[in-house]
Amino acid sequence: MKRVTMAAQATLFALFALLAAGPALAHGDEDHGDAPAAVNSNGPQRQPDGTVFLPKSAQRLMGLRTLPVQQAALPKATELQGVVVMDPNAGGPVQATQAGRLVAPPQGFPALGQRVQRGQVLAYVEPVAGALERSAQAAQVAELQAAQALAEKRLARLQVLADTVPRREIEAAESELQSLRARGAALRQGLGGREALVAPVSGVVAASQALAGQVVDARDPVFEVVDPQRLRIEALAYDLGVAQDVGDAFLVNASGAPQALRFLGASTRLREQALPMQFGGVQGLALGQPVRVVLQTRSTVTGHAVPAQALMKNAANQTIVWVKQAPERFVPKVVLTQPLDGARVAVTQGLSDGDRVVVQGATLLNQVR
């Protein structure tokens, strides 16, 4: 009995081992293992060598456009960081020359962005002599005006009686009236001795610190007036030789074509180990706005001009462009670039004459996996 049991166990063990070693079959030898996923060989896909297969239909949907490039002598350029500043001849602060309290003109304080004319009164500064002193001066002016009115009436009466009144009394009345008038004029001048803050140039109000009744000290800025059509850009150049070899300059905009700038001059004194340079011809920007300036020199470099939007990054964070190698095949090429004019860059290494570079839709092409 014991031998039968052991024989049965051995048989079962061998059967289980055979089943485990063989393929899982059922329902007429059907294989239920994991089948490989179906691959659409006709759709956009990244090839093992890094190239991209892109059918014509997908190219039209992505709006792909290519441009053949040719090597040429291009201006050597550098990119500078700058900030928008005002033209000293077309803007400036409005400051008080004495301490006092701000008083609005009849039309009120100007609002931000409001256009003002040169010489227009923007505010008044009443001297901080004290309200009590000014009230006393106003009372004295009122008393003098009353005394002056009485003196005028007395003089008129004496002039009517000139035939019976001694001449010296008429002269004394005239002298008294003149004295009263002089004292009244002096008091009125002291009473109205507030300072008028006027616009230094015609432009718009760029900054305002004015509040009714606000007390300001001498030299405190109250307003800032600037002509928005006459702004400048101040950029810092860390290469001191750039200032001696300036060609064209362009403002790099976040959107749209680059804006041409006019080089005005460079300083001869370093600031933070850099040379300040100023450019004109700026419009549509705000004071203090940071900007990028591409400065071309008269020196040249050999390369291929490519739109900046054609530059992409690969997985290794290298700068690449996509080149059309075949009607439906695109190859990434690692390139070295230099700034050119804000809208284009100069590719100094990585391209050959006749390469068709993808200049539109490169972002979608770069995302194909």
Short mmCIF file of all heavy atoms in Angstrom, two decimals, residues 170-210:
data_model
loop_
_atom_site.label_atom_id
_atom_site.label_comp_id
_atom_site.label_asym_id
_atom_site.label_seq_id
_atom_site.Cartn_x
_atom_site.Cartn_y
_atom_site.Cartn_z
N ILE A 170 -4.84 167.33 1.55
CA ILE A 170 -5.07 166.43 0.39
C ILE A 170 -3.84 165.58 0.13
O ILE A 170 -3.93 164.39 -0.14
CB ILE A 170 -5.45 167.27 -0.85
CG1 ILE A 170 -6.76 168.05 -0.59
CG2 ILE A 170 -5.56 166.37 -2.08
CD1 ILE A 170 -7.16 168.95 -1.74
N GLU A 171 -2.64 166.22 0.19
CA GLU A 171 -1.41 165.45 -0.03
C GLU A 171 -1.22 164.40 1.04
O GLU A 171 -0.74 163.29 0.77
CB GLU A 171 -0.22 166.41 -0.06
CG GLU A 171 -0.23 167.34 -1.27
CD GLU A 171 0.92 168.33 -1.24
OE1 GLU A 171 1.62 168.36 -0.19
OE2 GLU A 171 1.12 169.05 -2.24
N ALA A 172 -1.56 164.70 2.30
CA ALA A 172 -1.44 163.73 3.37
C ALA A 172 -2.38 162.55 3.14
O ALA A 172 -2.03 161.38 3.39
CB ALA A 172 -1.73 164.39 4.72
N ALA A 173 -3.59 162.82 2.66
CA ALA A 173 -4.54 161.74 2.37
C ALA A 173 -4.04 160.86 1.22
O ALA A 173 -4.18 159.63 1.26
CB ALA A 173 -5.91 162.33 2.04
N GLU A 174 -3.46 161.49 0.21
CA GLU A 174 -2.91 160.69 -0.91
C GLU A 174 -1.75 159.82 -0.44
O GLU A 174 -1.63 158.65 -0.84
CB GLU A 174 -2.44 161.63 -2.02
CG GLU A 174 -3.58 162.34 -2.74
CD GLU A 174 -3.07 163.32 -3.79
OE1 GLU A 174 -1.84 163.60 -3.78
OE2 GLU A 174 -3.88 163.79 -4.62
N SER A 175 -0.87 160.37 0.41
CA SER A 175 0.26 159.59 0.92
C SER A 175 -0.21 158.42 1.77
O SER A 175 0.33 157.31 1.69
CB SER A 175 1.18 160.52 1.73
OG SER A 175 2.25 159.78 2.28
N GLU A 176 -1.23 158.66 2.59
CA GLU A 176 -1.76 157.57 3.42
C GLU A 176 -2.36 156.45 2.55
O GLU A 176 -2.17 155.26 2.82
CB GLU A 176 -2.82 158.12 4.36
CG GLU A 176 -3.42 157.06 5.29
CD GLU A 176 -4.50 157.63 6.17
OE1 GLU A 176 -4.83 158.82 6.03
OE2 GLU A 176 -5.04 156.87 7.00
N LEU A 177 -3.07 156.83 1.50
CA LEU A 177 -3.68 155.83 0.62
C LEU A 177 -2.60 155.00 -0.09
O LEU A 177 -2.71 153.77 -0.20
CB LEU A 177 -4.57 156.52 -0.40
CG LEU A 177 -5.28 155.60 -1.40
CD1 LEU A 177 -6.16 154.58 -0.69
CD2 LEU A 177 -6.10 156.42 -2.39
N GLN A 178 -1.54 155.66 -0.56
CA GLN A 178 -0.46 154.93 -1.21
C GLN A 178 0.22 153.96 -0.25
O GLN A 178 0.59 152.85 -0.61
CB GLN A 178 0.56 155.93 -1.78
CG GLN A 178 0.04 156.74 -2.96
CD GLN A 178 1.05 157.75 -3.46
OE1 GLN A 178 2.15 157.88 -2.89
NE2 GLN A 178 0.68 158.50 -4.50
N SER A 179 0.39 154.40 1.00
CA SER A 179 1.00 153.51 2.00
C SER A 179 0.14 152.28 2.26
O SER A 179 0.65 151.16 2.36
CB SER A 179 1.24 154.29 3.30
OG SER A 179 1.75 153.44 4.29
N LEU A 180 -1.18 152.51 2.36
CA LEU A 180 -2.08 151.37 2.58
C LEU A 180 -2.04 150.40 1.39
O LEU A 180 -2.07 149.18 1.57
CB LEU A 180 -3.50 151.88 2.82
CG LEU A 180 -3.74 152.60 4.16
CD1 LEU A 180 -5.15 153.19 4.19
CD2 LEU A 180 -3.55 151.63 5.32
N ARG A 181 -2.00 150.93 0.22
CA ARG A 181 -1.94 150.08 -0.97
C ARG A 181 -0.66 149.25 -1.01
O ARG A 181 -0.67 148.06 -1.34
CB ARG A 181 -2.05 150.93 -2.23
CG ARG A 181 -3.46 151.47 -2.48
CD ARG A 181 -3.49 152.39 -3.69
NE ARG A 181 -4.84 152.83 -3.98
CZ ARG A 181 -5.14 153.75 -4.93
NH1 ARG A 181 -4.16 154.29 -5.65
NH2 ARG A 181 -6.39 154.09 -5.13
N ALA A 182 0.48 149.88 -0.68
CA ALA A 182 1.75 149.17 -0.68
C ALA A 182 1.75 148.06 0.37
O ALA A 182 2.21 146.93 0.09
CB ALA A 182 2.89 150.15 -0.42
N ARG A 183 1.24 148.35 1.59
CA ARG A 183 1.20 147.32 2.63
C ARG A 183 0.28 146.16 2.23
O ARG A 183 0.59 144.99 2.46
CB ARG A 183 0.73 147.94 3.94
CG ARG A 183 1.75 148.88 4.57
CD ARG A 183 1.15 149.56 5.79
NE ARG A 183 0.70 148.55 6.75
CZ ARG A 183 -0.03 148.86 7.83
NH1 ARG A 183 -0.42 150.11 8.04
NH2 ARG A 183 -0.39 147.91 8.67
N GLY A 184 -0.85 146.50 1.61
CA GLY A 184 -1.77 145.45 1.16
C GLY A 184 -1.16 144.56 0.08
O GLY A 184 -1.33 143.33 0.09
N ALA A 185 -0.43 145.21 -0.87
CA ALA A 185 0.21 144.42 -1.93
C ALA A 185 1.26 143.48 -1.35
O ALA A 185 1.40 142.32 -1.77
CB ALA A 185 0.82 145.35 -2.96
N ALA A 186 2.04 143.97 -0.36
CA ALA A 186 3.07 143.12 0.25
C ALA A 186 2.44 141.95 0.99
O ALA A 186 2.94 140.81 0.91
CB ALA A 186 3.93 143.96 1.19
N LEU A 187 1.36 142.19 1.71
CA LEU A 187 0.71 141.10 2.45
C LEU A 187 0.09 140.08 1.49
O LEU A 187 0.15 138.87 1.72
CB LEU A 187 -0.36 141.66 3.39
CG LEU A 187 0.17 142.27 4.70
CD1 LEU A 187 -0.97 142.90 5.49
CD2 LEU A 187 0.87 141.21 5.54
N ARG A 188 -0.52 140.58 0.42
CA ARG A 188 -1.11 139.65 -0.54
C ARG A 188 -0.04 138.80 -1.22
O ARG A 188 -0.25 137.62 -1.51
CB ARG A 188 -1.93 140.43 -1.57
CG ARG A 188 -3.28 140.89 -1.05
CD ARG A 188 -4.16 141.38 -2.18
NE ARG A 188 -3.59 142.56 -2.83
CZ ARG A 188 -3.82 143.81 -2.43
NH1 ARG A 188 -4.60 144.03 -1.40
NH2 ARG A 188 -3.26 144.83 -3.08
N GLN A 189 1.12 139.40 -1.49
CA GLN A 189 2.21 138.63 -2.10
C GLN A 189 2.70 137.55 -1.15
O GLN A 189 2.97 136.41 -1.55
CB GLN A 189 3.36 139.57 -2.48
CG GLN A 189 4.51 138.84 -3.19
CD GLN A 189 5.59 139.80 -3.61
OE1 GLN A 189 5.51 140.99 -3.34
NE2 GLN A 189 6.61 139.26 -4.27
N GLY A 190 2.82 137.88 0.13
CA GLY A 190 3.21 136.87 1.11
C GLY A 190 2.15 135.81 1.29
O GLY A 190 2.46 134.63 1.50
N LEU A 191 0.90 136.20 1.19
CA LEU A 191 -0.18 135.23 1.33
C LEU A 191 -0.23 134.29 0.14
O LEU A 191 -0.54 133.11 0.28
CB LEU A 191 -1.52 135.97 1.46
CG LEU A 191 -2.75 135.11 1.74
CD1 LEU A 191 -2.61 134.40 3.07
CD2 LEU A 191 -4.02 135.94 1.70
N GLY A 192 0.10 134.75 -1.03
CA GLY A 192 0.06 133.90 -2.22
C GLY A 192 1.43 133.41 -2.63
O GLY A 192 1.66 133.18 -3.81
N GLY A 193 2.36 133.23 -1.70
CA GLY A 193 3.71 132.83 -2.02
C GLY A 193 3.88 131.34 -2.18
O GLY A 193 4.93 130.81 -1.81
N ARG A 194 2.91 130.61 -2.65
CA ARG A 194 3.05 129.17 -2.86
C ARG A 194 3.77 128.91 -4.17
O ARG A 194 3.72 129.70 -5.11
CB ARG A 194 1.68 128.51 -2.86
CG ARG A 194 0.71 129.05 -3.87
CD ARG A 194 -0.67 128.43 -3.66
NE ARG A 194 -1.62 128.88 -4.67
CZ ARG A 194 -2.89 128.49 -4.72
NH1 ARG A 194 -3.35 127.66 -3.79
NH2 ARG A 194 -3.69 128.92 -5.66
N GLU A 195 4.44 127.76 -4.22
CA GLU A 195 5.25 127.39 -5.38
C GLU A 195 4.42 126.57 -6.36
O GLU A 195 3.71 125.64 -5.96
CB GLU A 195 6.46 126.57 -4.93
CG GLU A 195 7.34 126.10 -6.08
CD GLU A 195 8.44 125.17 -5.61
OE1 GLU A 195 8.48 124.87 -4.40
OE2 GLU A 195 9.23 124.72 -6.47
N ALA A 196 4.52 126.90 -7.62
CA ALA A 196 3.82 126.17 -8.67
C ALA A 196 4.75 125.11 -9.25
O ALA A 196 5.86 125.42 -9.67
CB ALA A 196 3.34 127.11 -9.77
N LEU A 197 4.30 123.86 -9.27
CA LEU A 197 5.04 122.76 -9.88
C LEU A 197 4.55 122.60 -11.32
O LEU A 197 3.38 122.29 -11.54
CB LEU A 197 4.84 121.46 -9.10
CG LEU A 197 5.23 121.50 -7.62
CD1 LEU A 197 5.03 120.13 -6.99
CD2 LEU A 197 6.65 121.98 -7.43
N VAL A 198 5.43 122.83 -12.28
CA VAL A 198 5.04 122.84 -13.68
C VAL A 198 5.73 121.69 -14.41
O VAL A 198 6.76 121.16 -13.98
CB VAL A 198 5.39 124.18 -14.35
CG1 VAL A 198 4.65 125.32 -13.67
CG2 VAL A 198 6.90 124.43 -14.31
N ALA A 199 5.13 121.29 -15.53
CA ALA A 199 5.69 120.21 -16.35
C ALA A 199 6.94 120.72 -17.07
O ALA A 199 6.89 121.76 -17.72
CB ALA A 199 4.66 119.73 -17.36
N PRO A 200 8.07 120.00 -16.98
CA PRO A 200 9.30 120.47 -17.64
C PRO A 200 9.28 120.29 -19.14
O PRO A 200 9.96 121.02 -19.86
CB PRO A 200 10.39 119.61 -17.00
CG PRO A 200 9.68 118.36 -16.60
CD PRO A 200 8.29 118.75 -16.23
N VAL A 201 8.51 119.31 -19.64
CA VAL A 201 8.42 119.04 -21.08
C VAL A 201 6.98 118.65 -21.40
O VAL A 201 6.16 118.40 -20.52
CB VAL A 201 9.38 117.89 -21.51
CG1 VAL A 201 10.82 118.27 -21.28
CG2 VAL A 201 9.02 116.61 -20.79
N SER A 202 6.68 118.61 -22.69
CA SER A 202 5.38 118.10 -23.13
C SER A 202 5.46 116.58 -23.23
O SER A 202 6.38 116.04 -23.83
CB SER A 202 5.00 118.70 -24.48
OG SER A 202 4.85 120.10 -24.39
N GLY A 203 4.51 115.89 -22.64
CA GLY A 203 4.52 114.43 -22.63
C GLY A 203 3.37 113.90 -21.80
O GLY A 203 2.30 114.52 -21.73
N VAL A 204 3.59 112.76 -21.20
CA VAL A 204 2.57 112.13 -20.36
C VAL A 204 3.13 111.96 -18.96
O VAL A 204 4.36 111.90 -18.75
CB VAL A 204 2.13 110.76 -20.92
CG1 VAL A 204 1.52 110.92 -22.30
CG2 VAL A 204 3.29 109.79 -20.96
N VAL A 205 2.22 111.87 -17.99
CA VAL A 205 2.62 111.68 -16.60
C VAL A 205 2.96 110.20 -16.41
O VAL A 205 2.10 109.34 -16.49
CB VAL A 205 1.49 112.11 -15.65
CG1 VAL A 205 1.89 111.87 -14.20
CG2 VAL A 205 1.16 113.58 -15.85
N ALA A 206 4.24 109.91 -16.17
CA ALA A 206 4.69 108.53 -16.01
C ALA A 206 4.63 108.07 -14.56
O ALA A 206 4.52 106.87 -14.29
CB ALA A 206 6.11 108.37 -16.54
N ALA A 207 4.72 109.00 -13.60
CA ALA A 207 4.67 108.65 -12.18
C ALA A 207 4.07 109.82 -11.43
O ALA A 207 4.27 110.99 -11.80
CB ALA A 207 6.05 108.31 -11.65
N SER A 208 3.34 109.52 -10.38
CA SER A 208 2.71 110.56 -9.57
C SER A 208 2.70 110.13 -8.11
O SER A 208 2.31 109.00 -7.79
CB SER A 208 1.28 110.83 -10.05
OG SER A 208 0.62 111.73 -9.19
N GLN A 209 3.16 111.03 -7.24
CA GLN A 209 3.14 110.80 -5.79
C GLN A 209 2.26 111.84 -5.09
O GLN A 209 2.35 112.00 -3.89
CB GLN A 209 4.56 110.89 -5.23
CG GLN A 209 5.57 109.99 -5.92
CD GLN A 209 5.29 108.53 -5.72
OE1 GLN A 209 4.72 108.13 -4.71
NE2 GLN A 209 5.69 107.70 -6.67
N ALA A 210 1.42 112.52 -5.85
CA ALA A 210 0.66 113.65 -5.32
C ALA A 210 -0.62 113.19 -4.64
O ALA A 210 -1.39 112.40 -5.20
CB ALA A 210 0.33 114.64 -6.44
#
